[in-house]
C-alpha cells in the first residue's frame, strides 16, 4: 500500500470518526482566552470589566485549542515546569437543532483535574489527564439564558470557563516521579455536541472470527444516554464492508432500559480480515429514530484473531507475526501535549514508513486520533493506564486507577488494533509514600486484572517491570536494557532467553538508549571496554542516573548516534533469529520531555527517540528501515556529521544501511566494490567499507539494488587530520538564513584554531534585538542551553527583519557575539 493511499484512508477514517458520538458536533478550537495562574473564584472570569479598571487584571492571552499550559516551559533549561491551576474561557452561541435536546461539552482529554462552569455555575468536574469525559451543560445553559445578564452583558452568548490543574498530588496517577511531564491544559480537542433527548453514550461492537477465519461474528451492544428517561426507540443497524458495500441491515423496536442493551448479533461469511499488512475495516452504523430527532453513530471495526502462543511467538490470523514495535508519548516541540491531528498523522505515518507494526502507548490512554490511525495503518496496540511508578496510594488513588481502566477499555473497545490493556509500569518503584508494601500492590494488581477481563475478556492484560506481579497478568515484560543501563548489547539475546523462560507470555518492551542528535563518534564502542556482562535484565535503582554506581553506557558512554546505531543494529539482527520471540518495542519513537532529566545534553529531554521532538530523523531511523521495510531504501551513515577525523592514510569505516540485496560504494568518484547484504554480518549487515579518506572534502555515493530496482544516496563531509588540544576559543557565525529564519553555529577551537571535534562542552545562546530565539523546543538545535555535538552547536533566530545580536557562552571561555 503506498503512502498516499494510506494517508487518504486515514483522512477518510478520521472524517468519519468526527461524527462518531453525535449528529451535530463542532470543535471549539478558536476564540479562547487563557490565564496561567489561578483565580480567586469563578466570578473573576465572568464579571463585567471596564477598560483600565482593576477588574481588567490579571491579563488573559488569546489562544487556540488544543493548548498545553506547558508548551514551552517543559523544556526551559532554567526553570521547573509549571504545575498548578490555569483557566480558559470563551463565549458560545448555543443553537441546539433538537427540541428538548441535550447540550454537551465532550473533552477528548485535559490535564490533570478539570472543572467546567457555565457563567458562575459549576457543571462538571473530572480527575485524570488522559481519558475522555463529557459534561452536560443543558440545564445550566437553559437557566442562564433566562437571566438579564445573558443579553445585557454577554449579548446572547453563553460564557464557558474551564479550570485545569496539574498540581502535584500524591493521591493521583501517574506519579510525579514518572519519567514524563504531567501536563496541564485543554490539550486535546474539545467539542460542542448537540443530541436529541435520546442518544448513544457508548456503542460496543465485538468482532470475532472462528479459528479458520472463515466466519465472522459481530455482537453490538449500546449504552444509551437518556437523562429524560425516554422508554423506547426504533433502531436501525447497518454494516458496511471495507469497500463501503452494505452487507447487513436490520430495523427493530426496543426498550431503552438502564443498562447496556444488546442491539444485534450478525454473522459475516468470509470476512475480510484486519492485519498489519492489510488493515481492512468495516463500518457499523446504528441509528436511533424518534419523533424528537434522529441520532446516528458510526464505528470502525476489524475482524481478526490473535494468539500469544504459550512459551512461543505471537500469531495474528493464524500466522506468526514478529511484533516490530516502538513507543509513543503525546509530546511535540513547541506544543507539548497539544498535538494537532496533522502532527499525529505525520508521526504515525513516519512510524509505519519505518516498518513498525506494533506500538505500546506509554504510559496512559492516548488520543482517539492515534487509535484511529493505528486501525487504518495496521499497527497493533498495547495501551495502558497511568499507574506509573511511586507505589500505591489510598482509596482515592485506587478509585482513579479503576475509573481510568474502565474508561480506557470502554472508550477504545472497538479498535481492531488493540490487543493488550496495560495495567501498570514500573510499579516496583517506591518513593511517593512512606509505605511500600508488595503484597498490597499485588492485591490491587489482581483487582485491576480481574476488572480488565470482566470488561473485555477478548484482550490480554500486561505490565512492564514489576517482577513480583509478573504471574498475575497475561503478558509480561521485564526490564532489559542490554548495552545501556546494564551490561553490553551483545548479551541481549541470552538475557532475553533467560527472561522468556520465566513467564508463559513474554513480550520485551523498552530497549535502546539515548543519543544526542548530531553527535557522532569514530570509536563508538570504546566505552564497552569498561563495561561488564552483568545480567542486563536486572535493572537497578539509580541505573538511569548520570551519577554514581557501576560503569554503564548510559553514564559512561558518549551518547553518540554512532553507538546507538550499533546497539540497535545488534538487537535487530538477533531478533531475526529468535523464533520463539513474540516481539519487542524500542523505547521510544520520538524524543520527549521529562522533569527528571535536567542534566541531559538537551536539558529535560529523554533522548532515546529515533527522531527528535520536531520529527527530525536521527540516523537510527534508517537502521530500523533497513531491517523492517520492503520498499527499497539505502542510507549512508552520517548525514549530520559534517567533519570526520583521523590520521593521514588511516582507514575509516563507511557504513550503509539498506534492505537491498547488494550495494556499490563510490568515494570521490572511485568504486570500492559491490557488497552483498547479510543481516547477520554485523555491523550494517555487511554493507561497510574501510576507506582511506582524503584530507579535506570527501564525496560518498552508493547505489543499491533490489531485484530490478535501484536506489541511491550521497553525502559529503570534511576529513580533518590535524589533532587538537584543549578548547581555548569559542566562535559564532551565521551559517544559513531563509524565510526570515537565521541559523547560527558555535564552534570550539584549540589555541591554534583547530576544531575540537570530540568535545561536549555546554554552550548557552542569548539574543538582544528585534528577533526571537527559537528555543525551548527540546531539540539539539532548539535549546538555548545545550551540550555540543562534535565541538559545535546551532540555534535558529526569527529575525523579524531587524537587528539582532546573538551571543554564545561556554564556561571558562570568552563570550562571543555576532550581529545579524
Amino acid at each position: 500500500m503506498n503512502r498516499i493511499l494510506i494517508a487518504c484512508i486515514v483522512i477518510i477514517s478520521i472524517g468519519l470518526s468526527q461524527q462518531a458520538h453525535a449528529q451535530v458536533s463542532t470543535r471549539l478550537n478558536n476564540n479562547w482566552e487563557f490565564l496561567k495562574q489561578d483565580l480567586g473564584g469563578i466570578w473573576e472570569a465572568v464579571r463585567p470589566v471596564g477598560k483600565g479598571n482593576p477588574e481588567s487584571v490579571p491579563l488573559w492571552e488569546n489562544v487556540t485549542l488544543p493548548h498545553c499550559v506547558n508548551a514551552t516551559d517543559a523544556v526551559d533549561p532554567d526553570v521547573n515546569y509549571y504545575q498548578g491551576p490555569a483557566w480558559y474561557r470563551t463565549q458560545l452561541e448555543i443553537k441546539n437543532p433538537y427540541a428538548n435536546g441535550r447540550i454537551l461539552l465532550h473533552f477528548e482529554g485535559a490535564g490533570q483535574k478539570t472543572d467546567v462552569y457555565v457563567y458562575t455555575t459549576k457543571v462538571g468536574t473530572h480527575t485524570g489527564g488522559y481519558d475522555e469525559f463529557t459534561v452536560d451543560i443543558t440545564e445550566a445553559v437553559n437557566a442562564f439564558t433566562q437571566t438579564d445578564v445573558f443579553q445585557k452583558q454577554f449579548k446572547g452568548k453563553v460564557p464557558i470557563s474551564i479550570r485545569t490543574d496539574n498540581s502535584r498530588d500524591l493521591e493521583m496517577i501517574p506519579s510525579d516521579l514518572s519519567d514524563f511531564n504531567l501536563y496541564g491544559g485543554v490539550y486535546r480537542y474539545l467539542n460542542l455536541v448537540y443530541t436529541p433527548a435520546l442518544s448513544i453514550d457508548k456503542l460496543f461492537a465485538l468482532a470475532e472470527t472462528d479459528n479458520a477465519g472463515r466466519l465472522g461474528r459481530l455482537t453490538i451492544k449500546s449504552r444509551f444516554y437518556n437523562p429524560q428517561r425516554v422508554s423506547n426507540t426504533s433502531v436501525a443497524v447497518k454494516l458496511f464492508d471495507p469497500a463501503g458495500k452494505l452487507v447487513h441491515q436490520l430495523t427493530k423496536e426496543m426498550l431503552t432500559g438502564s443498562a447496556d442493551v444488546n442491539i444485534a448479533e450478525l454473522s459475516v461469511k468470509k470476512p475480510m480480515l484486519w492485519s498489519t499488512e492489510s488493515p481492512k475495516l468495516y463500518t457499523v452504523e446504528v441509528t436511533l429514530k424518534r419523533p424528537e430527532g434522529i441520532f446516528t453513530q458510526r464505528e470502525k471495526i476489524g475482524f481478526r484473531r490473535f494468539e500469544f502462543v504459550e512459551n512461543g511467538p505471537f500469531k495474528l490470523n493464524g500466522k506468526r507475526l514478529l511484533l516490530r514495535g516502538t513507543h509513543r508519548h503525546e509530546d511535540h516541540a513547541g506544543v507539548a501535549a497539544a498535538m494537532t491531528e496533522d502532527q499525529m498523522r505525520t508521526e504515525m505515518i513516519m512510524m509505519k514508513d519505518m516498518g513498525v507494526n506494533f506500538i505500546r502507548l506509554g504510559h496512559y490512554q492516548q488520543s482517539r486520533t492515534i487509535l484511529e490511525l493505528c486501525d487504518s495503518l495496521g499497527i497493533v496496540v498495547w495501551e495502558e493506564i497511568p499507574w506509573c511508578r511511586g507505589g500505591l496510594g489510598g482509596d482515592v488513588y485506587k478509585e482513579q486507577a479503576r475509573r481510568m481502566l474502565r474508561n480506557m477499555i470502554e472508550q477504545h473497545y472497538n479498535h481492531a488494533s488493540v490487543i493488550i490493556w496495560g495495567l501498570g509500569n514500573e510499579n516496583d518503584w517506591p518513593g511517593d509514600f512512606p509505605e511500600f508494601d508488595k503484597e498490597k500492590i499485588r492485591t490491587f494488581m489482581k483487582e485491576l486484572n480481574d476488572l480488565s477481563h470482566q470488561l473485555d475478556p477478548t484482550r490480554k492484560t500486561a505490565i512492564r517491570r514489576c517482577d513480583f506481579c509478573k504471574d498475575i497478568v497475561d503478558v509480561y515484560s521485564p526490564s532489559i536494557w542490554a548495552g545501556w543501563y546494564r551490561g553490553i548489547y551483545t548479551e541481549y539475546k541470552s538475557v532475553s532467553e533467560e527472561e522468556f523462560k520465566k513467564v508463559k507470555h513474554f513480550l520485551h518492551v523498552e530497549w535502546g538508549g539515548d543519543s544526542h542528535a548530531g553527535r557522532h563518534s569514530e570509536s563508538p564502542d570504546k566505552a564497552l571496554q569498561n563495561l561488564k556482562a552483568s545480567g542486563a535484565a536486572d535493572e537497578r535503582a539509580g541505573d538511569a542516573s548520570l551519577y554514581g554506581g557501576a560503569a554503564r553506557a548510559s553514564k559512561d558512554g558518549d551518547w553518540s548516534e554512532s553507538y546507538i546505531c550499533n546497539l540497535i543494529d545488534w538487537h535487530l539482527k538477533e531478533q531475526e533469529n529468535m523464533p520463539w520471540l513474540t516481539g519487542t518495542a524500542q523505547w521510544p519513537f520520538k524524543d520527549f520531555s521529562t522533569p527528571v532529566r535536567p542534566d541531559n545534553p538537551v536539558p529535560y529531554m529523554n533522548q532515546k527517540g529515533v527522531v527528535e521532538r520536531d520529527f527530525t530523523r536521527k540516523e537510527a531511523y534508517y537502521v530500523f528501515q533497513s531491517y523492517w521495510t520492503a520498499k527499497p531504501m539505502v542510507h549512508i551513515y552520517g548525514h549530520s556529521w559534517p567533519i570526520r577525523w583521523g590520521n593521514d592514510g588511516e582507514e575509516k569505516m563507511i557504513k550503509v544501511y539498506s534492505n537491498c540485496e547488494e550495494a556499490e560504494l563510490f568515494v570521490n568518484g572511485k568504486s570500492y566494490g559491490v557488497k552483498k547484504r547479510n543481516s547477520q554480518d554485523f555491523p550494517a549487515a555487511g554493507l561497510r567499507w574501510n576507506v582511506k579518506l582524503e584530507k579535506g572534502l570527501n564525496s560518498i555515493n552508493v547505489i543499491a539494488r533490489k531485484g530490478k530496482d535501484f536506489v541511491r544516496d550521497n553525502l559529503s563531509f570534511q576529513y580533518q587530520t590535524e589533532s587538537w588540544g584543549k578548547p581555548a576559543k569559542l566562535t559564532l557565525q551565521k551559517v544559513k538564513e531563509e524565510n526570515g529564519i537565521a541559523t547560527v553555529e558555535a564552534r570550539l577551537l584549540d589555541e591554534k584554531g583547530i576544531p575540537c571535534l570530540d568535545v561536549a562542552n555546554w554552550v548557552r545562546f542569548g539574543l538582544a534585538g528585534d528577533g526571537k530565539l527559537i528555543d525551548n523546543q527540546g531539540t539539539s538545535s532548539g535549546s538555548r542551553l545545550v551540550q555540543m555535538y562534535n565541538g559545535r552547536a546551532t540555534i535558529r533566530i526569527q529575525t523579524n527583519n531587524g537587528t539582532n545580536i546573538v551571543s554564545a557562552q561556554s564556561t571558562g571561555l570568552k563570550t562571543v557575539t555576532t550581529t545579524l
Side-chain angles (χ1 to χ4, degrees), residues 581-810:
L581 183 65
T582 54
T584 68
Q586 168 269 342
W587 175 267
F589 181 70
K590 186 170 68 173
D591 292 348
F592 64 93
S593 70
T594 168
V596 301
R597 298 175 185 262
D599 302 316
N600 279 6
V602 179
Y604 295 108
M605 285 298 299
N606 189 314
Q607 295 176 249
K608 295 183 180 69
V610 297
V611 302
E612 289 198 82
R613 197 174 182 235
D614 62 356
F615 293 145
T616 301
R617 291 173 176 84
K618 299 184 189 179
E619 296 290 327
Y621 181 92
Y622 303 99
V623 184
F624 280 102
Q625 269 197 335
S626 71
Y627 280 91
W628 286 0
T629 63
K631 181 181 177 181
M633 59 76 59
V634 65
H635 179 83
I636 305 168
Y637 178 88
H639 279 250
S640 58
W641 195 3
I643 306 176
R644 294 194 62 170
W645 65 89
N647 299 321
D648 275 325
E650 180 183 356
E651 286 192 338
K652 291 293 176 180
M653 184 182 292
I654 308 292
K655 293 189 294 186
V656 171
Y657 296 112
S658 178
N659 58 9
C660 293
E661 299 156 6
E662 61 183 31
E664 183 175 8
L665 187 77
F666 299 85
V667 179
N668 300 320
K670 176 185 175 182
S671 174
Y672 277 74
V674 174
K675 296 210 172 186
K676 302 283 187 180
R677 185 181 190 274
N678 173 7
S679 67
Q680 299 307 297
D681 187 358
F682 175 85
L687 301 180
R688 60 185 185 274
W689 290 259
N690 290 328
V691 175
K692 291 182 180 180
L693 299 174
E694 297 178 1
K695 182 178 180 180
L697 183 65
N698 288 263
S699 296
I700 313 296
N701 291 268
V702 67
I703 301 174
R705 182 182 65 82
K706 189 173 188 180
K708 296 181 180 179
D709 295 322
F710 290 85
V711 286
R712 304 168 186 267
D713 191 31
N714 64 84
L715 60 78
S716 298
F717 56 81
Q718 297 286 330
Y719 182 58
Q720 178 177 313
T721 58
E722 298 88 354
S723 59
W724 55 88
K726 180 180 177 182
K729 181 181 180 182
L730 187 64
T731 66
L732 184 65
Q733 63 178 346
K734 182 176 75 173
V735 294
K736 182 180 179 181
E737 183 168 359
E738 60 183 14
N739 301 320
I741 304 294
T743 301
V744 298
E745 181 180 69
R747 298 177 69 191
L748 278 174
L749 311 178
D750 70 4
E751 60 183 7
K752 297 180 180 179
I754 299 171
C756 304
L757 298 179
D758 64 349
V759 297
N761 298 38
W762 287 90
V763 64
R764 179 182 289 273
F765 293 101
L767 178 69
D770 302 308
K772 182 182 183 301
L773 276 182
I774 302 176
D775 65 343
N776 292 339
Q777 300 296 297
T779 64
S780 61
S781 60
S783 178
R784 67 179 175 274
L785 178 65
V786 66
Q787 272 188 19
M788 290 184 149
Y789 20 98
N790 301 129
R792 68 187 187 97
T794 63
I795 199 164
R796 296 179 300 151
I797 298 94
Q798 182 179 315
T799 64
N800 292 332
N801 297 316
T803 300
N804 296 279
I805 301 175
V806 188
S807 63
Q809 297 173 297
S810 190

Side-chain angles (χ1 to χ4, degrees), residues 68 112 139 145 147 250 285 366 379 433 610 619 648 683 719 747 768 789:
C68 184
Q112 296 284 315
E139 278 74 26
T145 57
T147 65
L250 62 87
E285 180 180 285
Q366 297 196 8
I379 300 176
F433 309 100
V610 297
E619 296 290 327
D648 275 325
Y719 182 58
R747 298 177 69 191
Y789 20 98

Side-chain angles (χ1 to χ4, degrees), residues 21 134 199-203 222-225 295 297 410:
H21 283 269
T134 298
S199 61
I200 294 174
D201 178 29
K202 300 283 190 309
L203 191 70
S222 175
R223 183 178 304 162
F224 295 112
Y225 185 59
F295 179 92
Q297 181 159 332
E410 291 188 345

Side-chain angles (χ1 to χ4, degrees), residues 519-521 524 560-567 637 641 655:
R519 180 179 290 172
H520 305 275
S521 175
S560 69
E561 294 196 53
S562 315
Y563 176 77
I564 290 304
C565 281
N566 281 352
L567 182 152
Y637 178 88
W641 195 3
K655 293 189 294 186

